[in-house]
Amino acid sequence: MMLLAWILGPFCCGFAHIAAAAQAAGRAADAAVRTEPAAFAIDSQPLHDALQAYSQATGRSVLYDAGQVVHLRSMAVHGALDPDAALAALLQGTGMQARFASTGAFVIVPVEPPASTAVHGEGGIALHAAFYGRVQRVATSILCADAGLSIGRYRLAISAYVSGSGELRRVKAAAQGHAELEPRIEASLEGARLEIEPPPALIQPIVLLVTQQAGRLKACAS
């Protein structure tokens, strides 16, 4: 099975509950993602609340580990700002950073430590490439088997942890313009067995992105 639309990337670390900010704009079926400068009025507050306020103002979906932000406070963000600049200002001094899976979805993770030497060299690169290839094939097979999900007709960002035995855990999805499908996508992938152990020094959670294509057949071509 081939799937050219998937983009997979490692993000950073910890094995805890992943929370999705429940924002009004992101949960509306046809919510627009704001990319032009906008007026922000976000006070310094618990980072969880600030992320929800930012998400509501921009329409961007955000995934993050609730345990990693529970004791953090945001910086205040006021005035007319580019959404990217506003997000950077909001996170300043928190020890967290944004990693974008698409224009409309991003993941909040700790500032990355120096890359592990375990992933360097031909052997480490090959192990990670084989692992990500397996994740792609398994996720593709599961999601494309459900015609109701119409994979490939919208942008979809997925964040997941991989257990030591090679199962997808704590799956969270952000389906741009199709928030009603997110619980179904998460349930479909939760517990999926990869039949391969994660490589050493895998940085988690992993994030997957399927980009919008002309139709389901292209995204789910076999």
Side-chain angles (χ1 to χ4, degrees), residues 1-4 6 132-151 156 158 168 185 188-189 192-195 208 210 216 219-222:
M1 177 175 287
M2 295 179 63
L3 180 60
L4 301 181
W6 282 105
Y132 287 129
R134 181 61 182 172
V135 174
Q136 173 184 313
R137 290 191 294 273
V138 170
T140 298
S141 177
I142 292 172
L143 296 179
C144 288
D146 187 341
L149 295 179
S150 299
I151 297 301
L156 171 64
I158 297 168
L168 296 181
I185 294 167
S188 296
L189 294 177
R193 298 183 61 84
L194 302 176
E195 304 297 342
L208 306 86
V210 61
R216 176 181 171 80
C220 296
S222 59

Side-chain angles (χ1 to χ4, degrees), residues 5-17:
W6 282 105
I7 301 171
L8 299 92
F11 290 80
C12 199
C13 35
F15 197 97
H17 174 65

Side-chain angles (χ1 to χ4, degrees), residues 54-81:
Y54 174 86
S55 188
Q56 184 173 4
T58 62
R60 287 174 166 176
S61 297
V62 54
L63 303 173
Y64 56 91
D65 182 331
Q68 291 174 341
V69 307
V70 65
H71 298 302
L72 300 178
R73 290 187 65 84
S74 75
M75 297 293 288
V77 179
H78 291 275
L81 293 169

Side-chain angles (χ1 to χ4, degrees), residues 127 130-131 134-135 162-167 193-198:
L127 281 174
F131 174 77
R134 181 61 182 172
V135 174
V162 183
S163 71
S165 58
E167 295 181 352
R193 298 183 61 84
L194 302 176
E195 304 297 342
I196 185 175
E197 294 182 359

